[in-house]
Amino acid sequence: MSQALKIETVIEKKRSRGKDRIQSILKDIFIEKKLLLFLVGLLLGRAVILYNISPFAIAFLATAWSVYRKRMFAVIVFILLGAWSYSLEHAVFVSISVVVFMVLAHFLKNRNNIRILMLFIFLSTILTRLFLYSLSNQITPYEWVHLFIEGVLGIVLFLIFMQSLPLLALKRYQPALKNEELICIVILLASILTGFIGWEIYNVSLEHVFSRYIVLTLAFVGGAAIGSTVGVVTGLVLSLANVASLYQMSLLAFSGLLGGLLHEGKKHGVSVGLLVGTFLVGIYGEMETFTATMLESVIAIFLFYLTPNVLLKQLSKYIPGTTEYSFEERKYLQKIRDVTAQRVEQFSAVFEALSKSFIQSTDKSTDKERIDETDYFLSLVTEKTCQMCFMKERCWQKQFDKTYSLMEEMKNDLVYQNEIDVKNLTKFENYCVKSKQVVDTMANEVSLLKINKKLKKQVMESKKIVADQLKGVSDVMDNFAKEIVKERKRHEKQEIQIIRALKQMDIHLEKLDIYRLEKGSIDIEMSIIFKDYHGEGPKLIAPVLTDILQETIVVTEEEISPFPNGISFLTFGSAKQYEVETGVAVAAKGGGFISGDSFTTMELGKGKYALAISDGMGNGLRAREESMETLRLLEQILQTGISEQVAIKSINSILALRTTDEIFATLDLAIINLHNAMLRFLKIGSTPSFIKRGDDVIQLEANNLPIGIIEHVELETLCEPLKSGDILIMMSDGIFDGPKQVKNNDLWLKRKIRSMKTEDPQAIADLLLEEVVRGELGVIRDDMTVIVAKVTKHKPKWATIPVIHDEAT
């Protein structure tokens, strides 16, 4: 059963490839090699309205000269062939006009100068007509009006052709036609149809057949409004070309209106509309004319039925007002909204992280800081008063607590009441022999203390203001992102292939949403009804998608209905070409519980994996806070898609603003591209890292100052391509410095890494940490952190198996 299904899939693929090959050949012949352009030139060379007015050839020649200058010789040849196939008089006029225009255009260097080209069209038409009229007799007022109208029509048609011809090149990037562009194309098609005048097969006029075919097609695609408009424009141009066919305008307009009104009945409804319109208009003529008219409509309907539905659907996407056009436009806008919402949410998270960073730095006023403040204040006072006092030993050695308590109370009185309480002052005067000098000095120092506290308070308030502003921006962006609805983009070709493949596997697909098909970031969602789910997502659907999209696809999320025949939700995405397996080993100084080192491993968007180690200044809680803050900010910023260099510079500025203390942190950041295994390193004051590739050990290092030391930093980036099986080893200085008796740490670490037989990242991390601790005889002299990452080629668990057919059987 599965083999038959696979054979049918292969046959379907071959059919699809055959169709694509035929389309490619036709496109190459008619579009790339400009055969369509030459045929248009042939027909416009024959086009004539009102018996002898022919502005089409020169207008088309000027357009081709401006747009397709390299093909001018072939265009001229086909225009002249068309003109000579019509009549001698018309051929002479077109030939002379072509010569005059080319002579004038020879002096024009800028072919995009539309105004000069319009003047050349007018002059080439008028001068040629004046020359031909002057050969026969004196020019009459009617002929003056005639040649003036012909020149003006040439300019108008030139402007219309300039709008229309590029649209037929199938290289448009805009997904839809404007109404003005659609009318211009219809006028171009009607002008081309005038070139069919005079060509008949058994009294069937070719221009009538093709004009009705065009009306049928556009009425089916665009409805009544488009159908009637196209009918009026086409009929008007054809009636000007042949006044005897004036009734064609009524026939085409009425048929386009009826066909458009009945287009819900598909091709049958539109065809009935044309037959009814033809019958009602043609019944007023003679029987022979009526028979020929009905036959022309029947042939047009036959050609209409031969037109593939796929081509009609493709055309409908370019026609304003159609369902396909609205669907295409809506999906495009919905995808734009989705991408915008995602970016806004990411930036909102960054602003929120910045806000929290400022808030944390303002909420650390502790009792210890107040005690430190009092100690510092009293040291300044005693330095100026007690140092030279003969009672110093009695006050500050024998009765330290009492002295400290009395002076602290007076300091608090001065700070909070601006004067010393009488009782406290009396106690101190009875206690201290230099009480007046001490009180005066304390009053001076308190004034400086108040100024200092005021400045600190202003800084804290400023930080809180910044934090509130950042939080406000974050909230606004977050609310805006929530208002944007996530929807999908249209990928018609892939949708058809996926739907067909699932149908062949007898999988009931309820809904298919293709959000993205870019290499490495494919995003597809499906709603499927399973009678009893047995892992069809990763086992069947993902391999089929891999075969269709030519990229390894895996199930990224699945929500299976607990009920039989319930709707299950599955999300499919690109599998990474490489996988990363990590191991971490950590030890705090002295065997403590709090390490000043922090680390993180995170998967970024667009197939990137980041590993980072940060070592705060010193050890203990304070170092831990600084290193964790560095990594938290780094993670938030990197996940927005901002480059790692910009992220680190931003963190450097933030840490410099957070506090006036001298704090800094090292950062060791590695980013692995999971699509091509390219490794990018940023080392900020950190130790070297190592790559183990078989028996070789590669050392990576860079010279950058730690974060927070200087305001503006210039960062050096390292890049190294990885291979499947490579092992990356990152460490803090506690590991790299190694045992104290080791003289050359680089060589010692390389030897230890090379001698390890295991390739398990966690085992390598544990062994390396153990080696350092054993070398120090069990003493942990500094915080130690080591991260080991192994890069391997991704191997999908399930995949399609190509079927090889034996022709002999």
Side-chain angles (χ1 to χ4, degrees):
M1 182 67 182
S2 59
Q3 184 175 1
L5 179 62
K6 188 63 182 179
I7 294 173
E8 188 175 350
T9 304
V10 172
I11 294 174
E12 191 66 29
K13 286 179 62 177
K14 289 183 177 179
R15 289 177 183 173
S16 178
R17 289 174 184 172
K19 291 180 181 178
D20 293 340
R21 192 178 296 112
I22 293 173
Q23 291 178 0
S24 177
I25 293 172
L26 293 177
K27 182 180 178 181
D28 181 65
I29 294 174
F30 284 95
I31 304 300
E32 301 298 335
K33 294 184 178 179
K34 300 296 185 293
L35 180 59
L36 180 61
L37 180 72
F38 302 149
L39 293 177
V40 171
L42 176 69
L43 295 173
L44 290 178
R46 289 176 45 85
V48 175
I49 58 173
L50 298 177
Y51 299 109
N52 59 353
I53 296 180
S54 54
F56 302 97
I58 296 302
F60 179 75
L61 179 66
T63 305
W65 187 85
S66 178
V67 180
Y68 305 106
R69 195 167 183 177
K70 294 181 180 179
R71 305 298 180 97
M72 280 304 299
F73 178 76
V75 170
I76 292 174
V77 170
F78 276 89
I79 288 176
L80 294 178
L81 285 176
W84 283 96
S85 67
Y86 186 78
S87 67
L88 179 62
E89 180 182 356
H90 176 69
V92 171
F93 167 73
V94 172
S95 301
I96 298 175
S97 299
V98 169
V99 173
V100 173
F101 176 82
M102 293 305 297
V103 171
L104 293 173
H106 178 72
F107 297 100
L108 182 62
K109 294 182 179 180
N110 184 11
R111 62 177 180 174
N112 295 322
N113 195 329
I114 303 299
R115 295 183 179 179
I116 300 299
L117 284 175
M118 292 165 57
L119 178 62
F120 288 174
I121 293 170
F122 188 78
L123 290 177
S124 60
T125 303
I126 288 183
L127 293 177
T128 304
R129 283 296 182 192
L130 283 173
F131 173 73
L132 293 177
Y133 285 155
S134 64
L135 294 178
S136 56
N137 49 25
Q138 189 176 1
I139 303 176
T140 63
Y142 171 78
E143 291 171 340
W144 279 106
V145 174
H146 173 275
L147 61 90
F148 179 78
I149 291 175
E150 190 170 20
V152 172
L153 283 176
I155 294 174
V156 173
L157 287 171
F158 166 69
L159 295 175
I160 292 174
F161 292 167
M162 284 293 291
Q163 285 268 14
S164 306
L165 281 180
L167 301 178
L168 299 178
L170 299 181
K171 293 182 179 180
R172 285 177 50 83
Y173 300 103
Q174 188 174 343
L177 297 174
K178 299 177 182 177
N179 289 324
E180 297 81 2
E181 294 174 340
L182 180 61
I183 296 300
C184 288
I185 289 179
V186 172
I187 293 175
L188 172 63
L189 294 176
S191 302
I192 294 171
L193 290 177
T194 58
F196 285 100
I197 291 179
W199 288 353
E200 295 183 354
I201 301 175
Y202 296 105
N203 294 328
V204 173
S205 299
L206 295 183
E207 73 271 16
H208 293 165
V209 173
F210 288 110
S211 64
R212 293 172 198 179
Y213 171 75
I214 292 173
V215 170
L216 272 173
T217 302
L218 293 178
F220 174 76
V221 168
I226 299 294
S228 58
T229 303
V230 172
V232 170
V233 174
T234 307
L236 176 63
V237 176
L238 289 178
S239 62
L240 290 175
N242 186 3
V243 180
S245 301
L246 187 61
Y247 73 96
Q248 288 291 324
M249 183 168 62
S250 301
L251 189 151
L252 293 174
F254 188 52
S255 300
L257 177 63
L258 281 179
L261 292 173
L262 298 174
H263 81 287
E264 292 294 337
K266 305 301 181 183
K267 290 185 176 181
H268 307 299
V270 180
S271 301
V272 169
L274 177 62
L275 289 176
V276 172
T278 305
F279 179 80
L280 293 178
V281 176
I283 198 172
Y284 293 100
E286 297 179 358
M287 183 55 65
E288 293 181 0
T289 307
F290 175 73
T291 304
T293 300
M294 292 298 295
L295 184 57
E296 290 165 354
S297 295
V298 170
I299 296 174
I301 291 172
F302 176 73
L303 295 176
F304 177 61
Y305 272 97
L306 291 179
T307 305
N309 290 327
V310 175
L311 182 62
L312 295 175
K313 287 183 179 180
Q314 191 72 18
L315 178 62
S316 64
K317 291 194 290 187
Y318 297 94
I319 307 299
T322 62
T323 304
E324 287 78 7
Y325 169 78
S326 301
F327 183 80
E328 192 75 16
E329 191 176 49
R330 185 173 65 253
K331 292 303 178 182
Y332 176 76
L333 295 176
Q334 289 164 351
K335 187 60 178 179
I336 294 296
R337 289 201 298 269
D338 177 35
V339 174
T340 304
Q342 185 179 7
R343 297 294 294 174
V344 170
E345 286 176 350
Q346 291 173 344
F347 281 111
S348 173
V350 172
F351 280 110
E352 187 175 1
L354 296 177
S355 174
K356 289 180 179 179
S357 176
F358 278 98
I359 291 173
Q360 287 177 359
S361 66
T362 61
D363 292 339
K364 292 188 177 180
S365 180
T366 62
D367 293 336
K368 185 177 182 300
E369 289 182 355
R370 285 192 289 271
I371 294 172
D372 292 341
E373 178 188 288
T374 301
D375 290 345
Y376 180 72
F377 174 81
L378 294 181
S379 67
L380 294 175
V381 173
T382 56
E383 183 181 0
K384 297 177 181 179
T385 57
C386 299
Q387 288 295 332
M388 304 303 296
C389 180
F390 67 93
M391 298 294 289
K392 174 182 176 182
E393 183 178 352
R394 191 263 301 186
C395 296
W396 290 107
Q397 292 184 7
K398 297 180 179 180
Q399 299 180 15
F400 174 85
D401 293 338
K402 183 177 180 181
T403 305
Y404 187 95
S405 176
L406 287 172
M407 295 186 72
E408 183 181 17
E409 288 176 354
M410 289 194 298
K411 176 248 183 186
N412 293 334
D413 290 342
L414 288 171
V415 170
Y416 298 110
Q417 301 176 10
N418 295 323
E419 62 180 1
I420 302 175
D421 185 72
V422 178
K423 292 181 180 180
N424 293 332
L425 181 60
T426 304
K427 288 181 183 179
F428 189 73
E429 287 176 347
N430 295 330
Y431 180 76
C432 180
V433 296
K434 294 184 178 181
S435 60
K436 187 176 185 306
Q437 183 182 356
V438 172
V439 170
D440 292 340
T441 304
M442 288 184 71
N444 292 332
E445 291 297 333
V446 163
S447 62
L448 296 176
L449 177 64
K450 287 181 177 180
I451 293 172
N452 189 25
K453 292 184 72 173
K454 186 177 180 180
L455 292 175
K456 282 187 175 181
K457 184 179 179 182
Q458 290 177 347
V459 172
M460 293 296 181
E461 290 176 350
S462 300
K463 288 184 177 182
K464 286 183 178 180
I465 291 172
V466 173
D468 292 340
Q469 290 174 340
L470 292 171
K471 186 66 170 65
V473 172
S474 175
D475 292 341
V476 169
M477 298 178 76
D478 189 53
N479 293 332
F480 175 67
K482 290 177 181 178
E483 294 175 0
I484 300 174
V485 181
K486 177 186 176 184
E487 293 192 34
R488 67 188 184 94
K489 185 179 178 182
R490 186 172 178 81
H491 299 275
E492 187 175 355
K493 180 180 177 181
Q494 290 80 4
E495 282 184 359
I496 293 173
Q497 291 176 337
I498 293 171
I499 292 171
R500 183 181 300 152
L502 296 182
K503 187 177 180 180
Q504 290 174 346
M505 293 189 295
D506 198 23
I507 293 177
H508 188 179
L509 179 65
E510 278 290 307
K511 186 180 180 183
L512 171 64
D513 292 332
I514 301 178
Y515 291 102
R516 193 180 297 119
L517 285 183
E518 288 82 1
K519 287 290 184 182
S521 58
I522 290 176
D523 187 6
I524 300 175
E525 294 181 357
M526 294 185 188
S527 298
I528 304 176
I529 295 178
F530 294 107
K531 184 177 180 181
D532 191 11
Y533 185 71
H534 293 287
E536 285 84 352
K539 296 177 182 178
L540 291 178
I541 302 176
V544 168
L545 294 178
T546 300
D547 195 33
I548 293 174
L549 302 177
Q550 298 299 307
E551 183 178 347
T552 305
I553 305 297
V554 295
V555 177
T556 58
E557 182 183 353
E558 60 179 11
E559 297 177 9
I560 307 302
S561 173
F563 307 103
N565 297 319
I567 296 178
S568 300
F569 175 81
L570 292 92
T571 302
F572 299 88
S574 299
K576 307 303 182 287
Q577 296 298 317
Y578 292 86
E579 294 178 334
V580 177
E581 183 184 356
T582 60
V584 181
V586 178
K589 181 179 179 180
F593 294 101
I594 300 177
S595 171
D597 297 345
S598 295
F599 69 91
T600 183
T601 60
M602 52 187 163
E603 189 161 353
L604 306 176
K606 299 182 180 178
K608 292 182 179 180
Y609 194 88
L611 307 98
I613 298 177
S614 179
D615 184 2
M617 182 181 67
N619 308 101
L621 183 61
R622 180 66 182 277
R624 177 74 172 179
E625 289 177 353
E626 295 306 324
S627 61
M628 286 187 67
E629 182 67 12
T630 300
L631 292 184
R632 186 179 67 83
L633 291 173
L634 177 69
E635 187 171 353
Q636 291 281 2
I637 297 175
L638 285 180
Q639 286 180 345
T640 65
I642 296 176
S643 67
E644 51 271 21
Q645 289 196 351
V646 176
I648 291 172
K649 288 182 179 180
S650 301
I651 296 170
N652 184 74
S653 301
I654 293 166
L655 293 180
L657 286 172
R658 280 184 50 200
T659 178
T660 56
D661 298 338
E662 282 192 9
I663 60 166
F664 59 87
T666 67
L667 179 64
D668 197 358
L669 173 64
I671 298 179
I672 304 173
N673 190 320
L674 299 181
H675 296 299
N676 55 18
M678 178 60 71
L679 171 67
R680 295 192 67 201
F681 251 121
L682 273 173
K683 290 184 165 293
I684 316 298
S686 59
T687 58
S689 298
F690 299 90
I691 297 175
K692 186 173 187 283
R693 181 176 296 161
D695 294 330
D696 296 331
V697 178
I698 304 169
Q699 182 173 331
L700 302 173
E701 57 184 330
N703 298 317
N704 293 314
L705 289 174
I707 293 177
I709 289 185
I710 58 175
E711 185 176 353
H712 302 289
V713 292
E714 295 297 330
L715 303 177
E716 179 184 352
T717 305
L718 299 176
C719 293
E720 181 73 25
L722 298 178
K723 298 179 180 179
S724 181
D726 284 359
I727 298 173
L728 171 66
I729 303 170
M730 302 165 59
M731 63 193 71
S732 63
D733 55 355
I735 296 287
F736 181 77
D737 292 342
K740 296 301 179 182
Q741 68 272 16
V742 176
K743 301 301 181 182
N744 193 324
N745 297 327
D746 299 24
L747 293 177
W748 183 81
L749 279 170
K750 285 184 178 180
R751 187 173 70 253
K752 291 296 180 183
I753 293 171
R754 188 181 294 111
S755 64
M756 292 183 182
K757 303 301 181 181
T758 180
E759 293 189 353
D760 178 36
Q762 187 59 55
I764 293 175
D766 294 336
L767 288 172
L768 199 56
L769 180 64
E770 185 180 354
E771 286 285 347
V772 176
V773 175
R774 283 179 179 273
E776 290 286 348
L777 303 177
V779 179
I780 303 176
R781 301 183 183 275
D782 194 4
D783 297 325
M784 299 181 182
T785 302
V786 56
I787 297 179
V788 181
K790 183 179 180 181
V791 179
T792 55
K793 189 78 172 177
H794 173 73
K795 295 179 181 179
K797 186 177 180 180
W798 300 93
T800 54
I801 302 173
V803 177
I804 302 175
H805 304 286
D806 189 357
E807 296 183 357
T809 58

